[in-house]
Amino acid sequence: MSLYKPDYEKIADSETEEEVKEPSMYKVLLHNDDYTSMEFVVEILLSVFNKAIEDATITMLKVHKEGIGICGVYTYEVAETKVDTVHILAREREFPLKCTMEQD
């Protein structure tokens, strides 16, 4: 039986350490228009952004009064998917609802 024990610690220490970077986050925004109904905006906030009815109503009123409202903050891919989903649902119902994303 051999007493040889490889020095694994030296091997592990010699490897390059990679710094893990948090992904960039993006705000998803809804924009007010004169045609999209408030009820539809609430419906979008409930179904696409999984907001509670109270939060959806507050966000809808912010969009209505201030012209823009934040729906949530997500990674790039998730934000992009949510923006696309809002546009698809709005077009199906013939609303011109605008949804955008910007880096947080």
Side-chain angles (χ1 to χ4, degrees):
M1 187 176 269
S2 172
L3 294 177
Y4 175 73
K5 295 182 184 176
D7 195 357
Y8 291 113
E9 288 182 30
K10 286 184 182 176
I11 295 170
D13 287 342
S14 69
E15 291 181 17
T16 306
E17 288 187 27
E18 291 184 31
E19 196 170 316
V20 177
K21 185 178 172 185
E22 292 291 321
S24 297
M25 300 300 283
Y26 290 80
K27 293 185 281 192
V28 177
L29 308 166
L30 282 180
H31 301 263
N32 190 38
D33 63 66
D34 293 333
Y35 303 100
T36 305
S37 70
M38 293 180 186
E39 293 81 11
F40 181 72
V41 173
V42 170
E43 184 181 318
I44 288 292
L45 291 164
L46 293 171
S47 64
V48 177
F49 298 97
N50 301 313
K51 290 193 174 280
I53 186 72
E54 297 84 9
D55 293 334
T57 304
I58 289 167
T59 302
M60 176 274 296
L61 289 172
K62 184 175 176 91
V63 171
H64 180 68
K65 292 178 181 178
E66 298 177 20
I68 197 165
I70 299 172
C71 303
V73 180
Y74 309 93
T75 59
Y76 180 84
E77 291 81 7
V78 173
E80 186 177 47
T81 300
K82 289 190 181 287
V83 168
D84 290 344
T85 302
V86 168
H87 287 151
I88 289 167
L89 294 172
R91 298 311 169 262
E92 285 176 358
R93 300 274 293 273
E94 299 182 354
F95 287 121
L97 183 62
K98 182 179 177 183
C99 186
T100 61
M101 58 189 260
E102 66 180 39
Q103 194 163 5
D104 191 26

